Amino acid sequence: VRRKPPLLFKAYMALGAGYGQANDLKQQEDAYHRAASAEPGSTAARLAWAEALAKLNRTAEAAAEFKAAAPNSPAARTRL
């Protein structure tokens, strides 16, 4: 299995933050989803993606991502 380079993960995380500042929630969600796909073990990416989903009122999907991140993050457990 070929891993995507960490630079791609960092780029998607930066894009997500930028889209958030620009209040482009759909693009933010997409960027964080791509970051989580690039680094599946990243709790930061899962939390960012979950937050973006919650902002879009996609609560069931957000809850699933918060639950997936919960074992590694007290912050995720408080969002459930």
Side-chain angles (χ1 to χ4, degrees):
V1 175
R2 190 178 147 152
R3 283 193 39 157
K4 295 180 182 179
L7 185 58
L8 188 57
F9 164 76
K10 291 178 184 180
Y12 286 134
M13 290 297 287
L15 277 172
Y19 285 130
Q21 288 183 341
N23 205 32
D24 188 338
L25 301 180
K26 178 58 188 140
Q27 291 296 325
Q28 181 185 42
E29 181 274 326
D30 183 61
Y32 286 142
H33 180 203
R34 291 174 186 266
S37 295
E39 288 288 332
S42 171
T43 301
R46 282 200 175 269
L47 288 175
W49 185 23
E51 289 285 348
L53 288 166
K55 289 178 189 175
L56 290 168
N57 293 317
R58 292 168 55 184
T59 53
E61 293 167 276
E65 288 307 314
F66 281 123
K67 284 180 185 176
N72 301 316
S73 172
R77 288 190 288 270
T78 61
R79 291 296 305 229
L80 293 175

